[in-house]
Amino acid sequence: MHTPLLRRRDFNWTLLALASRGFVAPVQAAPSAPAQRILVLGDSLSAEYGLARGSGWVALLQKQVAQEKPGFEVINASISGDTTSGGRSRLPALLKRHQPSLVVIELGGNDALRGLPMAMTQGNLLDMTKQAQAAGAKVLLLGMQMPPNYGPDMARQFEAAYTQVAKSQKAALVPFFLKGVGDDPEPLKWFQADRIHPNEAAQPRMLANVWPTLKKQLK
Protein backbone atom coordinates (compact mmCIF):
# COMPACT_ATOMS: atom_id res chain seq x y z
CA MET A 1 0.00 0.00 0.00
CA HIS A 2 1.42 3.35 -1.04
CA THR A 3 1.59 6.28 1.37
CA PRO A 4 -0.60 9.08 -0.04
CA LEU A 5 1.16 12.23 -1.07
CA LEU A 6 0.68 15.29 1.12
CA ARG A 7 -1.77 17.72 -0.31
CA ARG A 8 -0.54 21.33 -0.71
CA ARG A 9 -2.57 22.48 2.33
CA ASP A 10 -1.17 19.69 4.51
CA PHE A 11 2.35 20.48 3.32
CA ASN A 12 1.99 24.17 4.23
CA TRP A 13 0.71 23.29 7.70
CA THR A 14 3.65 20.94 8.18
CA LEU A 15 6.11 23.75 7.35
CA LEU A 16 4.40 26.09 9.82
CA ALA A 17 4.54 23.44 12.54
CA LEU A 18 8.26 22.86 11.97
CA ALA A 19 8.94 26.58 12.01
CA SER A 20 7.11 26.99 15.32
CA ARG A 21 9.36 24.33 16.84
CA GLY A 22 12.56 25.93 15.54
CA PHE A 23 13.08 23.62 12.61
CA VAL A 24 13.72 26.22 9.93
CA ALA A 25 15.91 25.61 6.92
CA PRO A 26 19.01 27.83 7.13
CA VAL A 27 19.06 30.83 4.81
CA GLN A 28 22.16 30.88 2.67
CA ALA A 29 23.93 34.24 2.77
CA ALA A 30 24.48 35.81 -0.62
CA PRO A 31 28.13 35.46 -1.65
CA SER A 32 30.04 38.69 -1.27
CA ALA A 33 31.38 40.28 -4.43
CA PRO A 34 35.09 39.54 -5.00
CA ALA A 35 37.42 42.42 -4.28
CA GLN A 36 38.62 44.41 -7.25
CA ARG A 37 42.39 44.38 -7.59
CA ILE A 38 44.93 47.17 -7.97
CA LEU A 39 48.12 45.80 -9.53
CA VAL A 40 51.31 47.76 -8.86
CA LEU A 41 53.99 46.98 -11.43
CA GLY A 42 57.17 48.69 -10.29
CA ASP A 43 60.84 48.53 -9.42
CA SER A 44 62.78 49.05 -6.17
CA LEU A 45 60.86 52.26 -5.41
CA SER A 46 57.77 50.11 -4.91
CA ALA A 47 59.44 46.88 -3.74
CA GLU A 48 60.53 48.28 -0.33
CA TYR A 49 64.23 48.12 -1.18
CA GLY A 50 66.25 48.84 1.99
CA LEU A 51 63.09 49.36 4.05
CA ALA A 52 61.44 47.41 6.82
CA ARG A 53 58.68 45.18 5.49
CA GLY A 54 55.34 46.94 5.53
CA SER A 55 56.76 50.48 5.55
CA GLY A 56 56.86 51.17 1.80
CA TRP A 57 54.38 53.34 -0.05
CA VAL A 58 52.54 50.33 -1.51
CA ALA A 59 51.99 48.90 1.97
CA LEU A 60 50.73 52.32 3.06
CA LEU A 61 48.46 52.30 0.01
CA GLN A 62 47.01 48.97 1.11
CA LYS A 63 46.04 50.53 4.45
CA GLN A 64 44.59 53.60 2.73
CA VAL A 65 42.51 51.46 0.40
CA ALA A 66 41.24 49.33 3.29
CA GLN A 67 39.99 52.46 5.04
CA GLU A 68 38.51 54.36 2.11
CA LYS A 69 37.83 51.76 -0.59
CA PRO A 70 37.25 48.41 1.15
CA GLY A 71 36.03 46.79 -2.08
CA PHE A 72 39.56 46.89 -3.47
CA GLU A 73 42.80 45.08 -2.67
CA VAL A 74 46.39 45.85 -3.67
CA ILE A 75 48.71 43.37 -5.39
CA ASN A 76 52.37 44.42 -5.33
CA ALA A 77 54.18 42.88 -8.30
CA SER A 78 57.25 45.12 -8.05
CA ILE A 79 60.80 43.79 -8.41
CA SER A 80 63.94 45.71 -7.50
CA GLY A 81 66.06 46.51 -10.54
CA ASP A 82 63.23 45.98 -13.01
CA THR A 83 63.08 47.96 -16.26
CA THR A 84 60.23 48.75 -18.61
CA SER A 85 61.32 45.77 -20.72
CA GLY A 86 61.08 43.48 -17.70
CA GLY A 87 57.69 44.86 -16.78
CA ARG A 88 56.47 44.43 -20.33
CA SER A 89 57.45 40.75 -20.38
CA ARG A 90 55.95 40.05 -16.94
CA LEU A 91 52.65 41.86 -17.44
CA PRO A 92 50.68 39.33 -19.54
CA ALA A 93 50.94 36.60 -16.89
CA LEU A 94 50.10 39.08 -14.12
CA LEU A 95 47.00 40.30 -15.95
CA LYS A 96 45.83 36.73 -16.50
CA ARG A 97 46.45 35.71 -12.90
CA HIS A 98 45.09 38.72 -11.03
CA GLN A 99 42.59 40.25 -13.50
CA PRO A 100 43.09 43.75 -12.04
CA SER A 101 40.70 46.62 -12.52
CA LEU A 102 43.58 49.12 -12.23
CA VAL A 103 47.25 48.77 -13.14
CA VAL A 104 49.75 51.21 -11.66
CA ILE A 105 52.93 51.33 -13.75
CA GLU A 106 55.96 52.60 -11.83
CA LEU A 107 58.83 51.81 -14.16
CA GLY A 108 61.42 53.70 -16.17
CA GLY A 109 63.89 54.91 -13.55
CA ASN A 110 66.26 52.00 -14.15
CA ASP A 111 66.03 52.55 -17.89
CA ALA A 112 67.40 56.06 -17.36
CA LEU A 113 70.13 54.95 -14.97
CA ARG A 114 71.30 52.34 -17.49
CA GLY A 115 71.21 54.75 -20.39
CA LEU A 116 68.70 52.68 -22.36
CA PRO A 117 67.24 54.23 -25.53
CA MET A 118 64.44 56.68 -24.84
CA ALA A 119 62.35 55.33 -27.71
CA MET A 120 62.50 51.85 -26.19
CA THR A 121 61.37 53.10 -22.79
CA GLN A 122 58.45 55.00 -24.27
CA GLY A 123 57.53 52.05 -26.48
CA ASN A 124 57.47 49.70 -23.50
CA LEU A 125 55.33 52.10 -21.46
CA LEU A 126 52.93 52.34 -24.38
CA ASP A 127 52.75 48.59 -24.86
CA MET A 128 52.13 47.94 -21.15
CA THR A 129 49.38 50.53 -21.10
CA LYS A 130 47.71 48.95 -24.13
CA GLN A 131 48.04 45.46 -22.65
CA ALA A 132 46.36 46.49 -19.42
CA GLN A 133 43.58 48.39 -21.17
CA ALA A 134 42.93 45.47 -23.54
CA ALA A 135 42.48 43.29 -20.44
CA GLY A 136 39.81 45.68 -19.15
CA ALA A 137 41.94 47.56 -16.62
CA LYS A 138 42.44 51.27 -16.14
CA VAL A 139 46.03 52.48 -16.11
CA LEU A 140 47.86 54.96 -13.89
CA LEU A 141 51.39 55.93 -14.96
CA LEU A 142 53.79 57.21 -12.31
CA GLY A 143 56.10 59.61 -14.07
CA MET A 144 59.78 59.91 -13.24
CA GLN A 145 62.43 62.55 -13.89
CA MET A 146 66.09 62.17 -14.71
CA PRO A 147 68.83 63.63 -12.49
CA PRO A 148 70.06 67.10 -13.57
CA ASN A 149 73.47 65.76 -14.58
CA TYR A 150 71.89 64.05 -17.60
CA GLY A 151 71.23 67.46 -19.14
CA PRO A 152 68.03 69.45 -19.71
CA ASP A 153 67.24 68.01 -23.15
CA MET A 154 67.36 64.41 -21.96
CA ALA A 155 65.34 65.33 -18.88
CA ARG A 156 62.60 66.91 -21.00
CA GLN A 157 62.45 63.91 -23.34
CA PHE A 158 62.20 61.47 -20.46
CA GLU A 159 59.43 63.43 -18.75
CA ALA A 160 57.58 63.79 -22.05
CA ALA A 161 57.59 60.00 -22.58
CA TYR A 162 55.11 59.50 -19.74
CA THR A 163 52.99 62.48 -20.76
CA GLN A 164 52.72 61.38 -24.37
CA VAL A 165 51.77 57.80 -23.50
CA ALA A 166 49.16 58.93 -20.99
CA LYS A 167 47.68 61.43 -23.43
CA SER A 168 47.58 59.06 -26.41
CA GLN A 169 45.92 56.26 -24.42
CA LYS A 170 43.78 58.46 -22.15
CA ALA A 171 45.50 56.95 -19.11
CA ALA A 172 45.85 58.66 -15.73
CA LEU A 173 49.21 60.21 -14.89
CA VAL A 174 51.11 61.36 -11.83
CA PRO A 175 53.68 63.69 -13.50
CA PHE A 176 56.43 63.17 -10.92
CA PHE A 177 56.21 60.27 -8.50
CA LEU A 178 58.99 61.68 -6.27
CA LYS A 179 57.67 65.23 -6.03
CA GLY A 180 58.63 66.70 -2.67
CA VAL A 181 61.33 64.05 -2.30
CA GLY A 182 63.71 64.19 -5.25
CA ASP A 183 63.18 67.92 -5.83
CA ASP A 184 63.29 68.97 -2.17
CA PRO A 185 65.85 71.76 -1.43
CA GLU A 186 67.49 69.28 0.94
CA PRO A 187 66.81 65.94 -0.80
CA LEU A 188 69.38 63.90 1.11
CA LYS A 189 67.15 63.78 4.17
CA TRP A 190 64.60 61.76 2.15
CA PHE A 191 67.06 59.19 0.78
CA GLN A 192 68.93 56.17 2.04
CA ALA A 193 72.72 56.20 2.19
CA ASP A 194 72.95 55.21 -1.48
CA ARG A 195 71.27 58.52 -2.42
CA ILE A 196 69.08 56.64 -4.88
CA HIS A 197 66.33 54.96 -2.88
CA PRO A 198 63.90 56.97 -0.73
CA ASN A 199 63.98 56.22 2.98
CA GLU A 200 61.06 55.32 5.23
CA ALA A 201 60.28 58.96 6.02
CA ALA A 202 59.72 59.63 2.31
CA GLN A 203 57.13 56.89 1.81
CA PRO A 204 54.08 58.88 3.04
CA ARG A 205 55.05 61.70 0.65
CA MET A 206 55.21 59.26 -2.23
CA LEU A 207 51.78 57.90 -1.36
CA ALA A 208 50.42 61.45 -1.08
CA ASN A 209 51.61 62.08 -4.65
CA VAL A 210 49.77 59.01 -5.92
CA TRP A 211 46.59 58.74 -3.86
CA PRO A 212 44.51 61.68 -5.15
CA THR A 213 44.85 60.54 -8.76
CA LEU A 214 44.59 56.84 -7.97
CA LYS A 215 41.45 57.33 -5.88
CA LYS A 216 39.63 58.86 -8.84
CA GLN A 217 40.14 55.61 -10.77
CA LEU A 218 38.48 53.44 -8.09
CA LYS A 219 34.85 53.46 -9.14
Side-chain angles (χ1 to χ4, degrees):
M1 181 176 180
H2 296 288
T3 303
L5 294 174
L6 287 172
R7 291 174 296 177
R8 182 181 297 275
R9 184 181 64 183
D10 297 329
F11 182 71
N12 291 340
W13 278 110
T14 301
L15 284 179
L16 288 172
L18 288 172
S20 67
R21 297 176 186 177
F23 298 98
V24 181
V27 177
Q28 296 293 329
S32 57
Q36 298 186 64
R37 298 182 179 91
I38 303 166
L39 176 69
V40 180
L41 183 66
D43 50 34
S44 57
L45 298 182
S46 300
E48 293 188 329
Y49 178 90
L51 303 174
R53 296 303 89 179
S55 64
W57 80 269
V58 179
L60 300 180
L61 173 64
Q62 291 174 328
K63 296 176 182 178
Q64 189 93 31
V65 167
Q67 293 175 358
E68 298 193 34
K69 295 288 183 179
F72 291 82
E73 65 175 330
V74 180
I75 306 295
N76 193 354
S78 303
I79 296 178
S80 292
D82 207 4
T83 62
T84 57
S85 294
R88 179 178 180 174
S89 65
R90 293 194 295 121
L91 185 56
L94 292 170
L95 292 173
K96 183 177 180 180
R97 177 181 179 184
H98 299 294
Q99 299 180 357
S101 56
L102 173 64
V103 176
V104 180
I105 300 175
E106 180 276 297
L107 288 169
N110 287 318
D111 292 44
L113 292 174
R114 297 180 186 185
L116 299 178
M118 190 71 63
M120 184 184 72
T121 297
Q122 184 168 342
N124 288 335
L125 291 171
L126 179 61
D127 185 79
M128 286 186 285
T129 299
K130 288 182 175 181
Q131 282 189 50
Q133 291 175 335
K138 297 179 181 179
V139 174
L140 171 58
L141 293 166
L142 302 188
M144 290 296 296
Q145 293 182 5
M146 299 183 76
N149 59 299
Y150 281 77
D153 289 341
M154 189 65 71
R156 280 193 294 268
Q157 292 177 33
F158 190 73
E159 184 177 357
Y162 295 90
T163 304
Q164 291 171 5
V165 171
K167 185 176 181 180
S168 68
Q169 302 306 307
K170 296 181 172 58
L173 171 69
V174 172
F176 185 28
F177 179 38
L178 296 182
K179 182 177 177 60
V181 177
D183 58 358
D184 187 276
E186 299 179 14
L188 293 183
K189 67 182 179 182
W190 303 112
F191 284 86
Q192 299 177 39
D194 61 11
R195 300 188 179 187
I196 296 175
H197 297 94
N199 58 27
E200 188 171 330
Q203 303 304 308
R205 286 196 170 202
M206 295 160 66
L207 175 60
N209 290 335
V210 176
W211 179 245
T213 305
L214 190 153
K215 184 179 179 180
K216 293 177 182 178
Q217 311 304 310
L218 305 183
K219 298 179 181 179

